[in-house]
């Protein structure tokens, strides 16, 4: 199938189950909400080596937050609820409580699974903490040097999906990068998903396992590396393609990932010089979720 002269390969992105928490961070200014969010989601690109996958979902204005201040929603994702709670405590305690003017609210108040993260963080107050309420939400007020840090008692979590993806092929590195950037920008407008890699874009790509180095969990996906196209049997790089970028998408459910993939692909194929869109999968061996590109375009 072709759209705007761009080949859309008849394949699917393979994704897998993951546990996801959604957190709202507010601050006196958008700048400080963003700084705290970036710190809290750091070292969160891939569970291949990172303790969690994490990223910014979206920014919201003062009219959309419980305390009437600018805010940003983040997602933190791990394979199990126990490890997810651990990551919430560490990341919110070390990266948000320490950031100027911030407060933390439950981004999934209706979720069945709730962690009492705020209750546990209150012990930083060393007995001087107190209970309060913001917009009907139970909060803990923890005295700190700048004033008080407010954190909601509970943070919710759901069983979500990780690994939705698509690849962008371009006639130059800058063509492919521009297409990836506009795809990320399109996804940022949506609710329920994150693109956890740097700036939302995967430059490296990878495959599970190895060809030569048995100690590696994941290695270069040589069939998608343009610089060695002539050296690789079964290369997936067509003539004239100089760079490939991947977008990986995590989300709270299948619908959220489908919408994000569709928006991203539509934005990417509008960039001149993009020749092909495909996706990564392992023939259904990696995870139970399959997002077929032909159903999204």
């Amino acid at each position: 199938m072709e759209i705007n002269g761009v080949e859309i390969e008849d394949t699917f992105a393979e994704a897998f189950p993951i546990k996801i928490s959604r957190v709202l961070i507010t601050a006196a200014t958008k700048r400080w909400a963003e700084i705290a969010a970036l710190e809290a989601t750091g070292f969160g690109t891939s569970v291949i080596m990172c303790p969690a996958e994490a990223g910014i979902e979206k920014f919201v204005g003062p009219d959309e937050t419980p305390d009437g201040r600018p805010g940003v929603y983040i997602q933190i994702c791990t394979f199990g609820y126990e490890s997810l709670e651990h990551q919430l405590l560490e990341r919110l305690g070390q990266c948000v409580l320490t950031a100027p003017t911030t407060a933390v609210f439950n981004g999934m108040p209706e979720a069945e699974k709730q962690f009492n993260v705020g209750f546990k963080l209150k012990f930083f107050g060393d007995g001087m903490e107190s209970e309060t309420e913001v917009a009907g939400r139970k909060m803990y007020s923890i005295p700190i040097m700048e004033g008080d840090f407010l954190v909601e008692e509970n943070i919710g979590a759901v069983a979500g999906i990780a690994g939705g993806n698509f690849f962008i092929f371009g006639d130059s590195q800058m063509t492919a990068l521009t297409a990836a950037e506009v795809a990320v920008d399109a996804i940022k407008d949506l609710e329920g998903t994150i693109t956890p890699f740097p700036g939302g874009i995967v430059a490296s790509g990878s495959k599970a396992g190895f060809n030569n180095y048995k100690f590696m969990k994941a290695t270069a996906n040589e069939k998608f590396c343009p610089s060695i196209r002539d050296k690789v049997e079964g290369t997936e790089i067509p003539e004239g393609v100089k760079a490939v970028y991947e977008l990986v998408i995590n989300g709270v459910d299948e619908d959220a990932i489908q919408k994000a993939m569709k928006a991203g692909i539509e934005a990417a194929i509008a960039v001149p010089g993009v020749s092909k869109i495909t996706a990564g999968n392992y023939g259904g061996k990696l995870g139970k979720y399959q997002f077929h590109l032909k159903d999204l375009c």
Side-chain angles (χ1 to χ4, degrees):
M1 179 171 64
E2 282 195 4
I3 301 178
N4 295 337
V6 179
E7 179 190 353
I8 310 296
E9 187 169 3
D10 186 7
T11 187
F12 61 89
E14 186 174 354
F16 51 89
I18 205 162
K19 305 299 189 283
I20 296 178
S21 258
R22 188 170 183 254
V23 180
L24 172 62
I25 300 169
T26 67
T29 64
K30 178 182 177 181
R31 174 191 176 187
W32 282 111
E34 182 176 15
I35 288 172
L38 289 171
E39 294 290 342
T41 56
F43 195 48
T45 59
S46 170
V47 287
I48 292 173
M49 290 294 286
C50 298
E53 295 188 4
I56 289 175
E57 179 187 299
K58 68 171 187 173
F59 291 89
V60 290
D63 58 334
E64 300 178 80
T65 63
D67 60 358
R69 305 191 304 165
V72 55
Y73 280 95
I74 65 171
Q75 290 183 22
I76 300 173
C77 317
T78 70
F79 282 124
Y81 283 127
E82 183 177 351
S83 60
L84 182 54
E85 182 180 17
H86 183 71
Q87 286 297 306
L88 285 166
L89 284 166
E90 288 193 336
R91 290 170 183 264
L92 298 180
Q94 294 299 302
C95 303
V96 184
L97 185 153
T98 60
T101 77
T102 56
V104 169
F105 294 91
N106 190 352
M108 290 180 165
E110 305 302 322
E112 181 177 348
K113 184 68 175 179
Q114 297 286 331
F115 302 116
N116 60 347
V117 171
F119 174 83
K120 292 178 179 177
L121 288 177
K122 76 171 186 176
F123 294 110
F124 182 75
D126 198 23
M128 302 302 293
E129 70 280 353
S130 60
E131 290 186 17
T132 188
E133 188 176 286
V134 176
R137 298 176 181 229
K138 183 178 179 180
M139 310 285 292
Y140 290 100
S141 180
I142 302 170
I144 58 176
M145 291 194 299
E146 74 164 8
D148 293 297
F149 174 74
L150 295 180
V151 57
E152 192 164 352
E153 180 181 33
N154 294 319
I155 301 294
V158 297
I161 302 168
N165 70 83
F166 60 92
F167 296 2
I168 302 168
F169 290 59
D171 61 7
S172 71
Q173 189 179 82
M174 291 313 299
T175 291
L177 181 57
T178 298
E181 288 174 342
V182 300
V184 170
D185 288 343
I187 292 169
K188 281 181 180 177
D189 293 334
L190 305 176
E191 184 172 312
T193 58
I194 60 170
T195 50
F197 280 80
I201 300 168
V202 186
S204 58
S206 66
K207 66 177 184 294
F210 54 86
N211 293 329
N212 296 290
Y213 302 123
K214 296 182 179 180
F215 54 87
M216 294 294 291
K217 291 182 180 180
T219 53
N221 196 346
E222 69 278 357
K223 291 185 178 181
F224 288 92
C225 296
S227 65
I228 54 173
R229 174 180 179 273
D230 296 335
K231 301 177 182 179
V232 175
E233 184 178 352
T235 181
E236 297 286 346
I237 302 298
E239 183 78 33
V241 169
K242 302 300 183 184
V244 179
Y245 287 105
E246 178 185 7
L247 270 68
V248 170
I249 302 165
N250 294 359
V252 296
D253 55 33
E254 289 181 83
D255 183 60
I257 290 183
Q258 286 173 342
K259 288 179 179 178
M261 288 181 64
K262 178 178 174 62
I265 291 170
E266 288 178 347
I269 63 176
V271 176
V274 171
S275 60
K276 182 177 178 179
I277 302 291
T278 188
N281 65 71
Y282 297 91
K285 298 178 182 178
L286 176 68
K288 66 179 183 179
Y289 299 101
Q290 296 182 5
F291 298 94
H292 289 264
L293 299 186
K294 65 180 181 180
D295 297 332
L296 303 174
C297 301

Short mmCIF file of all heavy atoms in Angstrom, two decimals, residues 226-260:
data_model
loop_
_atom_site.label_atom_id
_atom_site.label_comp_id
_atom_site.label_asym_id
_atom_site.label_seq_id
_atom_site.Cartn_x
_atom_site.Cartn_y
_atom_site.Cartn_z
N PRO A 226 21.54 1.22 7.58
CA PRO A 226 21.89 1.59 6.19
C PRO A 226 23.37 1.51 5.87
O PRO A 226 23.75 1.18 4.75
CB PRO A 226 21.38 3.04 6.07
CG PRO A 226 20.30 3.14 7.09
CD PRO A 226 20.76 2.28 8.23
N SER A 227 24.25 1.81 6.83
CA SER A 227 25.68 1.88 6.53
C SER A 227 26.29 0.52 6.20
O SER A 227 27.37 0.45 5.60
CB SER A 227 26.44 2.51 7.71
OG SER A 227 26.36 1.67 8.85
N ILE A 228 25.61 -0.57 6.58
CA ILE A 228 26.14 -1.91 6.29
C ILE A 228 25.19 -2.69 5.36
O ILE A 228 25.23 -3.91 5.32
CB ILE A 228 26.40 -2.70 7.59
CG1 ILE A 228 25.14 -2.74 8.47
CG2 ILE A 228 27.57 -2.10 8.34
CD1 ILE A 228 25.27 -3.65 9.69
N ARG A 229 24.38 -1.94 4.64
CA ARG A 229 23.39 -2.55 3.75
C ARG A 229 24.01 -3.59 2.83
O ARG A 229 23.47 -4.70 2.63
CB ARG A 229 22.71 -1.46 2.93
CG ARG A 229 21.75 -1.94 1.85
CD ARG A 229 21.14 -0.77 1.11
NE ARG A 229 20.23 -1.22 0.07
CZ ARG A 229 20.61 -1.52 -1.17
NH1 ARG A 229 21.88 -1.41 -1.53
NH2 ARG A 229 19.71 -1.93 -2.05
N ASP A 230 25.17 -3.28 2.27
CA ASP A 230 25.79 -4.17 1.30
C ASP A 230 26.48 -5.38 1.94
O ASP A 230 26.90 -6.30 1.23
CB ASP A 230 26.81 -3.40 0.46
CG ASP A 230 26.13 -2.33 -0.39
OD1 ASP A 230 24.94 -2.48 -0.70
OD2 ASP A 230 26.81 -1.32 -0.72
N LYS A 231 26.60 -5.36 3.25
CA LYS A 231 27.27 -6.45 3.95
C LYS A 231 26.32 -7.43 4.60
O LYS A 231 26.76 -8.48 5.10
CB LYS A 231 28.20 -5.88 5.04
CG LYS A 231 29.27 -4.94 4.53
CD LYS A 231 30.08 -4.39 5.70
CE LYS A 231 31.13 -3.40 5.23
NZ LYS A 231 31.92 -2.83 6.39
N VAL A 232 25.03 -7.11 4.63
CA VAL A 232 24.06 -7.90 5.39
C VAL A 232 23.14 -8.67 4.45
O VAL A 232 22.45 -8.09 3.61
CB VAL A 232 23.22 -6.99 6.31
CG1 VAL A 232 22.14 -7.80 7.02
CG2 VAL A 232 24.12 -6.30 7.32
N GLU A 233 23.15 -9.97 4.63
CA GLU A 233 22.22 -10.80 3.85
C GLU A 233 20.81 -10.60 4.37
O GLU A 233 20.57 -10.61 5.57
CB GLU A 233 22.62 -12.28 3.98
CG GLU A 233 21.76 -13.22 3.13
CD GLU A 233 22.21 -14.67 3.25
OE1 GLU A 233 23.28 -14.91 3.85
OE2 GLU A 233 21.49 -15.54 2.73
N GLY A 234 19.88 -10.37 3.46
CA GLY A 234 18.50 -10.15 3.86
C GLY A 234 18.24 -8.76 4.41
O GLY A 234 17.30 -8.57 5.19
N THR A 235 19.05 -7.79 4.02
CA THR A 235 18.86 -6.43 4.51
C THR A 235 17.45 -5.93 4.21
O THR A 235 16.85 -6.28 3.19
CB THR A 235 19.89 -5.47 3.87
OG1 THR A 235 19.67 -4.14 4.39
CG2 THR A 235 19.75 -5.43 2.36
N GLU A 236 16.94 -5.09 5.09
CA GLU A 236 15.62 -4.50 4.91
C GLU A 236 15.71 -3.07 4.38
O GLU A 236 14.69 -2.39 4.27
CB GLU A 236 14.87 -4.49 6.25
CG GLU A 236 14.58 -5.86 6.84
CD GLU A 236 13.46 -6.59 6.12
OE1 GLU A 236 12.74 -5.93 5.33
OE2 GLU A 236 13.32 -7.81 6.32
N ILE A 237 16.91 -2.63 4.05
CA ILE A 237 17.12 -1.26 3.60
C ILE A 237 17.05 -1.17 2.08
O ILE A 237 17.89 -1.72 1.38
CB ILE A 237 18.48 -0.73 4.08
CG1 ILE A 237 18.58 -0.79 5.60
CG2 ILE A 237 18.71 0.69 3.58
CD1 ILE A 237 17.57 0.07 6.33
N PRO A 238 16.04 -0.48 1.55
CA PRO A 238 15.93 -0.33 0.09
C PRO A 238 17.01 0.60 -0.46
O PRO A 238 17.64 1.37 0.28
CB PRO A 238 14.54 0.30 -0.10
CG PRO A 238 13.83 0.12 1.20
CD PRO A 238 14.90 0.10 2.25
N GLU A 239 17.22 0.53 -1.72
CA GLU A 239 18.14 1.43 -2.41
C GLU A 239 17.72 2.88 -2.15
O GLU A 239 16.55 3.23 -2.24
CB GLU A 239 18.11 1.16 -3.92
CG GLU A 239 19.08 1.98 -4.73
CD GLU A 239 20.51 1.45 -4.65
OE1 GLU A 239 20.67 0.22 -4.54
OE2 GLU A 239 21.43 2.29 -4.70
N GLY A 240 18.70 3.72 -1.80
CA GLY A 240 18.44 5.14 -1.61
C GLY A 240 18.07 5.55 -0.21
O GLY A 240 18.00 6.75 0.10
N VAL A 241 17.84 4.61 0.68
CA VAL A 241 17.53 4.94 2.07
C VAL A 241 18.82 5.13 2.85
O VAL A 241 19.68 4.25 2.87
CB VAL A 241 16.65 3.85 2.72
CG1 VAL A 241 16.54 4.06 4.23
CG2 VAL A 241 15.27 3.85 2.09
N LYS A 242 18.96 6.27 3.51
CA LYS A 242 20.19 6.61 4.22
C LYS A 242 20.04 6.60 5.74
O LYS A 242 21.05 6.62 6.45
CB LYS A 242 20.68 7.99 3.78
CG LYS A 242 20.93 8.11 2.27
CD LYS A 242 22.00 7.13 1.81
CE LYS A 242 22.29 7.31 0.31
NZ LYS A 242 23.26 6.30 -0.18
N ALA A 243 18.81 6.60 6.22
CA ALA A 243 18.62 6.61 7.68
C ALA A 243 17.24 6.07 8.02
O ALA A 243 16.28 6.21 7.25
CB ALA A 243 18.77 8.02 8.23
N VAL A 244 17.15 5.44 9.19
CA VAL A 244 15.89 4.91 9.71
C VAL A 244 15.76 5.34 11.17
O VAL A 244 16.72 5.23 11.94
CB VAL A 244 15.85 3.37 9.63
CG1 VAL A 244 14.54 2.83 10.21
CG2 VAL A 244 16.04 2.89 8.20
N TYR A 245 14.60 5.83 11.52
CA TYR A 245 14.29 6.12 12.93
C TYR A 245 13.05 5.35 13.34
O TYR A 245 12.14 5.13 12.53
CB TYR A 245 14.08 7.62 13.15
CG TYR A 245 15.36 8.42 13.10
CD1 TYR A 245 15.67 9.20 12.01
CD2 TYR A 245 16.27 8.36 14.15
CE1 TYR A 245 16.85 9.92 11.95
CE2 TYR A 245 17.46 9.08 14.11
CZ TYR A 245 17.74 9.86 13.01
OH TYR A 245 18.91 10.57 12.94
N GLU A 246 13.02 4.97 14.60
CA GLU A 246 11.89 4.23 15.17
C GLU A 246 11.22 5.07 16.25
O GLU A 246 11.89 5.76 17.01
CB GLU A 246 12.38 2.91 15.76
CG GLU A 246 11.28 2.08 16.42
CD GLU A 246 11.82 0.83 17.10
OE1 GLU A 246 13.05 0.66 17.19
OE2 GLU A 246 10.99 0.02 17.58
N LEU A 247 9.92 5.01 16.31
CA LEU A 247 9.18 5.55 17.44
C LEU A 247 8.59 4.38 18.21
O LEU A 247 7.94 3.50 17.63
CB LEU A 247 8.05 6.48 16.99
CG LEU A 247 8.43 7.96 16.85
CD1 LEU A 247 9.40 8.17 15.71
CD2 LEU A 247 7.18 8.82 16.68
N VAL A 248 8.84 4.34 19.51
CA VAL A 248 8.26 3.33 20.40
C VAL A 248 7.20 4.03 21.25
O VAL A 248 7.43 5.12 21.78
CB VAL A 248 9.33 2.69 21.29
CG1 VAL A 248 8.70 1.83 22.37
CG2 VAL A 248 10.28 1.86 20.45
N ILE A 249 6.04 3.39 21.38
CA ILE A 249 4.90 4.01 22.06
C ILE A 249 4.37 3.07 23.14
O ILE A 249 4.06 1.91 22.87
CB ILE A 249 3.78 4.32 21.05
CG1 ILE A 249 4.30 5.25 19.94
CG2 ILE A 249 2.58 4.94 21.75
CD1 ILE A 249 3.40 5.32 18.73
N ASN A 250 4.28 3.58 24.35
CA ASN A 250 3.62 2.89 25.45
C ASN A 250 2.29 3.59 25.73
O ASN A 250 2.19 4.81 25.57
CB ASN A 250 4.46 2.92 26.72
CG ASN A 250 5.75 2.13 26.60
OD1 ASN A 250 6.03 1.54 25.57
ND2 ASN A 250 6.55 2.13 27.65
N GLY A 251 1.29 2.83 26.18
CA GLY A 251 0.01 3.46 26.43
C GLY A 251 -0.85 2.70 27.41
O GLY A 251 -0.59 1.53 27.73
N VAL A 252 -1.91 3.37 27.85
CA VAL A 252 -2.78 2.79 28.87
C VAL A 252 -3.69 1.70 28.30
O VAL A 252 -4.19 0.86 29.04
CB VAL A 252 -3.62 3.88 29.55
CG1 VAL A 252 -2.71 4.86 30.31
CG2 VAL A 252 -4.49 4.64 28.55
N ASP A 253 -3.91 1.72 26.98
CA ASP A 253 -4.74 0.67 26.36
C ASP A 253 -4.48 0.63 24.85
O ASP A 253 -3.74 1.47 24.32
CB ASP A 253 -6.23 0.87 26.66
CG ASP A 253 -6.75 2.24 26.27
OD1 ASP A 253 -6.27 2.80 25.26
OD2 ASP A 253 -7.65 2.76 26.96
N GLU A 254 -5.10 -0.34 24.18
CA GLU A 254 -4.89 -0.52 22.74
C GLU A 254 -5.36 0.69 21.94
O GLU A 254 -4.71 1.12 20.98
CB GLU A 254 -5.61 -1.78 22.26
CG GLU A 254 -4.98 -3.07 22.73
CD GLU A 254 -5.71 -4.29 22.22
OE1 GLU A 254 -5.45 -4.70 21.07
OE2 GLU A 254 -6.55 -4.84 22.96
N ASP A 255 -6.49 1.26 22.33
CA ASP A 255 -7.04 2.39 21.59
C ASP A 255 -6.08 3.58 21.62
O ASP A 255 -5.88 4.24 20.60
CB ASP A 255 -8.39 2.79 22.19
CG ASP A 255 -9.05 3.92 21.42
OD1 ASP A 255 -9.32 3.74 20.22
OD2 ASP A 255 -9.30 4.98 22.02
N ALA A 256 -5.48 3.84 22.76
CA ALA A 256 -4.55 4.96 22.88
C ALA A 256 -3.34 4.77 21.97
O ALA A 256 -2.89 5.71 21.30
CB ALA A 256 -4.11 5.13 24.33
N ILE A 257 -2.81 3.55 21.92
CA ILE A 257 -1.65 3.29 21.07
C ILE A 257 -2.02 3.36 19.60
O ILE A 257 -1.28 3.90 18.77
CB ILE A 257 -1.01 1.94 21.42
CG1 ILE A 257 -0.34 2.02 22.80
CG2 ILE A 257 0.01 1.52 20.36
CD1 ILE A 257 0.39 0.80 23.24
N GLN A 258 -3.16 2.82 19.23
CA GLN A 258 -3.61 2.90 17.83
C GLN A 258 -3.73 4.34 17.36
O GLN A 258 -3.27 4.71 16.27
CB GLN A 258 -4.94 2.18 17.68
CG GLN A 258 -4.84 0.67 17.73
CD GLN A 258 -6.20 -0.01 17.76
OE1 GLN A 258 -7.21 0.62 18.06
NE2 GLN A 258 -6.22 -1.29 17.45
N LYS A 259 -4.32 5.19 18.19
CA LYS A 259 -4.48 6.60 17.83
C LYS A 259 -3.12 7.29 17.70
O LYS A 259 -2.91 8.11 16.80
CB LYS A 259 -5.34 7.31 18.87
CG LYS A 259 -6.81 6.93 18.82
CD LYS A 259 -7.60 7.64 19.89
CE LYS A 259 -9.08 7.27 19.82
NZ LYS A 259 -9.87 7.92 20.90
N ALA A 260 -2.21 6.95 18.60
CA ALA A 260 -0.88 7.57 18.56
C ALA A 260 -0.10 7.12 17.33
O ALA A 260 0.54 7.94 16.65
CB ALA A 260 -0.10 7.23 19.83
#
